[in-house]
Amino acid sequence: MLIMDFHIDNILNDMQKDDFNAYLLTGFTNVEYISGYKPTSFAFCIIKDNPVIYTSKMDMELAKNNSSIEIKEYESYDVMINELKEEGIKNLAIEPTLPFSTFVRFRDDFEIDSKTYIDKQRMIKTPDEIEKITRATEIAQRSFLQLDILNNENTEKEIAFDLVRYMIENGADKESFDTIVTSGSNSSLPHAIPEAKKLDRPILIDWGCIFEGYCSDNTRTMVYTEKQQEIWDIVAESHDKAIKAIKPGMKCCEVDKVARDVIADYGYGDRFIHSTGHSLGLDIHETPGFSPRDDTIVEKGMVITVEPGIYLEGEFGVRLEDTVAVSKKGNVIGELPLNIV
């Protein structure tokens, strides 16, 4: 059995429990996850007893070459809806991210409710998925070391460009998000944009790449002053203790609390302004996450980042991030040390 068929069977079982006839997916990575085909324009994936994807004429060849489930050329909403009604479909589950403009096309013909069946499947990675995330991480980390960042005299923008180029040269498909290279006071901005200026201090780099569809994500901060080192040490302690605490059976919010309590104990609790981490896979941000509000139970096969940070507005920021694959404990993917010297 193909792993995609396994996922579909699990979703069909969940649908049966909730008495749904079909499940509509349009998100590109959701369609790819279920079928192996990643749309380039649009697609409507209908999971039912005989799953089907309606796709554009321009994608038909691509879909036929890659999809593990039936492909039909999309003609119109009316044709698609009528075919579903002729099959006796009366109620329709939809992915939570379905665009409202798509929802309104279906709402008059079916009973509709939002369901996270697909997210539930994507939470647990297969060994093959973890291997691809590992490869992406290794490529990204090797490329980072090529920068020789401590001796690099280029601008932030140039360094970001070079890092992306190195990742692609080393086998990546592309970067997994807009690469962050920032320095000086701008490092207090968690999502700073690289500027056309020489590196100041400290230096914060947040980067990752995609390998065979799967994402990686790392952050390192290089510090220089005594105050910067003090903050770095606190963040490193938070990072390490959170990773050490990870194990199946605990809640995601409990991992977040471990990281957050360390920073709060040093008096910087209000300067840790985001969650401790997020899952990744085909998308750079997936569920669950290590946040105060996420009570999802940690399970073997989850892959989640750990990235505590302290941000001193107008001064500087420090963030340290690694990706963790959960087995009996949390295992850091990659071998890049926290302290780059």
Side-chain angles (χ1 to χ4, degrees):
M1 174 187 288
L2 289 172
I3 190 66
M4 294 167 190
D5 294 334
F6 173 76
H7 294 318
I8 290 174
D9 285 345
N10 286 341
I11 291 173
L12 287 171
N13 287 335
D14 287 340
M15 290 165 52
Q16 187 175 22
K17 292 174 186 175
D18 293 337
D19 198 28
F20 277 101
N21 306 135
Y23 187 33
L24 172 62
L25 306 173
T26 62
F28 285 8
T29 50
N30 282 340
V31 175
E32 180 182 15
Y33 182 78
I34 288 298
S35 71
Y37 148 61
K38 186 173 184 178
T40 67
S41 55
F42 68 86
F44 301 91
C45 178
I46 314 291
I47 298 178
K48 48 192 177 69
D49 289 335
N50 50 337
V52 63
I53 297 175
Y54 293 88
T55 192
S56 66
K57 188 178 185 67
M58 65 180 290
D59 258 11
M60 283 297 290
E61 181 178 359
L62 177 68
K64 287 178 179 177
N65 289 340
N66 292 281
S67 178
S68 61
I69 64 180
E70 181 185 0
I71 297 295
K72 288 186 178 181
E73 184 179 332
Y74 171 83
E75 297 179 52
S76 69
Y77 276 105
D78 288 342
V79 170
M80 179 170 56
I81 289 170
N82 285 336
E83 288 185 359
L84 296 177
K85 290 168 70 175
E86 286 170 3
E87 288 187 43
I89 292 173
K90 296 180 180 178
N91 53 44
L92 188 65
I94 60 172
E95 61 189 357
T97 56
L98 188 81
F100 182 75
S101 59
T102 303
F103 164 74
V104 297
R105 297 281 192 159
F106 288 89
R107 66 181 177 183
D108 292 335
D109 295 282
F110 307 98
E111 294 181 19
I112 295 180
D113 198 3
S114 172
K115 294 293 180 180
T116 58
Y117 303 137
I118 187 73
D119 300 309
K120 178 181 175 183
Q121 287 301 301
R122 290 180 61 174
M123 280 184 188
I124 308 301
K125 270 57 181 182
T126 65
D128 181 62
E129 289 179 297
I130 293 174
E131 174 59 26
K132 289 175 181 177
I133 294 169
T134 300
R135 288 288 304 278
T137 302
E138 291 171 347
I139 290 168
Q141 293 184 354
R142 183 165 65 250
S143 302
F144 171 81
L145 293 175
Q146 285 181 249
L147 288 174
D148 189 17
I149 193 65
L150 299 181
N151 298 304
N152 200 309
E153 297 184 357
N154 287 332
T155 67
E156 293 175 355
K157 280 187 173 183
E158 290 168 337
I159 293 169
F161 177 86
D162 286 341
L163 182 50
V164 174
R165 177 168 58 85
Y166 291 152
M167 289 191 290
I168 292 172
E169 289 175 349
N170 285 324
D173 302 336
K174 59 181 180 179
E175 61 185 335
S176 50
F177 55 91
D178 290 341
T179 299
I180 297 171
V181 176
T182 188
S183 60
S185 61
N186 280 354
S187 61
S188 69
L189 304 171
H191 288 164
I193 297 172
E195 297 183 356
K197 69 172 187 177
K198 300 287 186 178
L199 292 175
D200 199 352
R201 298 179 176 184
I203 304 166
L204 187 154
I205 300 183
D206 189 345
W207 79 106
C209 70
I210 296 175
F211 175 79
E212 293 187 3
Y214 284 81
C215 300
S216 71
D217 195 357
N218 278 110
T219 305
R220 291 295 183 265
T221 306
M222 285 62 71
V223 297
Y224 294 84
T225 69
E226 184 176 343
K227 178 65 178 294
Q228 292 169 7
Q229 185 66 55
E230 174 192 333
I231 299 300
W232 190 98
D233 289 342
I234 296 169
V235 174
E237 181 180 340
S238 172
H239 167 280
D240 292 348
K241 286 185 175 178
I243 292 174
K244 187 175 180 180
I246 296 169
K247 62 181 179 181
M250 69 188 306
K251 294 180 179 179
C252 286
C253 57
E254 293 172 339
V255 178
D256 178 87
K257 188 175 187 302
V258 171
R260 205 166 295 281
D261 283 353
V262 171
I263 291 175
D265 286 346
Y266 284 98
Y268 293 100
D270 62 339
R271 303 302 180 96
F272 183 8
I273 55 179
H274 52 69
S275 64
T276 296
H278 58 87
S279 295
L280 51 69
L282 289 170
D283 289 311
I284 191 62
H285 289 100
E286 298 186 358
T287 57
F290 292 139
S291 80
R293 297 170 301 281
D294 197 326
D295 59 2
T296 304
I297 301 299
V298 175
E299 296 183 55
K300 181 180 179 181
M302 288 182 173
V303 179
I304 309 180
T305 68
V306 172
E307 50 176 309
I310 294 175
Y311 306 92
L312 306 180
E313 185 176 348
E315 295 184 55
F316 66 89
V318 173
R319 181 166 67 256
L320 298 169
E321 177 184 20
D322 281 298
T323 301
V324 174
V326 181
S327 56
K328 293 181 179 179
K329 61 177 184 176
N331 303 289
V332 174
I333 294 175
E335 299 181 350
L336 187 68
L338 283 183
N339 192 16
I340 305 299
V341 294

